[in-house]
Amino acid sequence: MRALLLTLGLVLYPLAVHVLVVLQVPGIAVFGLVAASLIYLLVLGRKGGQGVAPQWFWMYGLLALTGVFSLYARSVHVLFLPPVLINLGLLAVFGASLRPGATPLVERLMHIAYADGLPPGLATLARRLTWLWVVFFAAMALLSVALAHWASLAVWSLFVNVFYYFFVAAMLVLQHIYRHFRFRQYGTVSLWQLGRRVVRISPRDPNHPFFGGGS
């Protein structure tokens, strides 16, 4: 259930918000954000917090509370929060994996693709790619804030709810193409196959690339 809600949130929520902004009914998007945040809180609460990082409770609670105030004030400012929080959260996850003694997050993913051990040179590439993602998420968070302040609501929405996901896809495809041609002698795993392998790993598994310790 949690995985399904996460997938629906990542795929459908941005598109729904952008459509509502284009139709000039952003208030419905605010209501949807409040409802979705409360649903996530209920689902996480049913697990009793087991296996759930506390920051998720804080994030959904903040979104729900801020959304209620936005509805009361007839404001849409709460819509600006999710893109910033998502990018800062991903920046924190990737950045924490670069601390001394930890395994860079991209290297954790590569270990899933190369179960027999990383070929020579890939560990260095993985650290550089992890840094690249840190810079990317920092830039996206700053750009989201800048557009929220200076651009129209429609332009902001087009960037954070549509173009952003094309940028992420382009980053993934480009790094996959580079790795394929630079290290093709070791064989490569497609992005689809890698994604399926990651999904099959339980979030409670200490070897999970995103939720595990990564040391």
Side-chain angles (χ1 to χ4, degrees):
M1 174 63 74
R2 216 184 301 172
L4 176 61
L5 285 174
L6 180 60
T7 302
L8 290 175
L10 289 174
V11 176
L12 298 182
Y13 172 79
L15 293 176
V17 170
H18 184 62
V19 169
L20 292 171
V21 167
V22 171
L23 295 176
Q24 298 184 353
V25 285
I28 299 178
V30 175
F31 180 82
L33 176 60
V34 173
S37 299
L38 292 175
I39 290 173
Y40 273 88
L41 282 173
L42 288 173
V43 171
L44 297 179
R46 287 179 61 185
K47 299 292 183 179
Q50 186 178 12
V52 181
Q55 55 263 35
W56 290 108
F57 287 101
W58 284 105
M59 185 184 78
Y60 292 126
L62 173 65
L63 289 174
L65 183 61
T66 308
V68 169
F69 278 112
S70 291
L71 287 172
Y72 178 77
R74 297 185 179 181
S75 167
V76 297
H77 289 94
V78 69
L79 296 178
F80 299 140
L81 280 179
V84 177
L85 292 177
I86 290 171
N87 280 292
L88 291 180
L90 290 170
L91 185 155
V93 171
F94 278 75
S97 73
L98 290 167
R99 69 187 187 278
T103 304
L105 196 144
V106 174
E107 184 176 340
R108 298 182 210 169
L109 292 169
M110 286 185 178
H111 277 294
I112 297 174
Y114 298 93
D116 297 329
L118 292 187
L122 271 179
T124 300
L125 174 64
R127 175 167 288 274
R128 291 173 179 172
L129 289 175
T130 304
W131 271 113
L132 182 62
W133 281 106
V134 168
V135 173
F136 173 81
F137 292 127
M140 292 299 103
L142 289 173
L143 194 50
S144 296
V145 172
L147 289 173
H149 184 71
W150 284 297
S152 67
L153 184 63
V155 170
W156 166 85
S157 179
L158 182 64
F159 175 80
V160 302
N161 292 316
V162 181
F163 288 169
Y164 172 81
Y165 295 92
F166 284 103
F167 295 150
V168 171
M171 287 272 290
L172 290 170
V173 171
L174 287 174
Q175 73 178 41
H176 180 76
I177 291 174
Y178 175 81
R179 181 162 56 89
H180 172 75
F181 286 101
R182 177 67 176 79
F183 300 96
R184 60 182 177 274
Q185 67 270 31
Y186 303 115
T188 56
V189 174
S190 70
L191 291 173
W192 174 252
Q193 291 173 317
L194 178 60
R196 291 183 62 184
R197 293 181 186 181
V198 172
V199 168
R200 290 172 182 170
I201 303 175
S202 169
R204 299 180 186 180
D205 191 324
N207 295 317
H208 194 286
F210 291 96
F211 301 106
S215 58

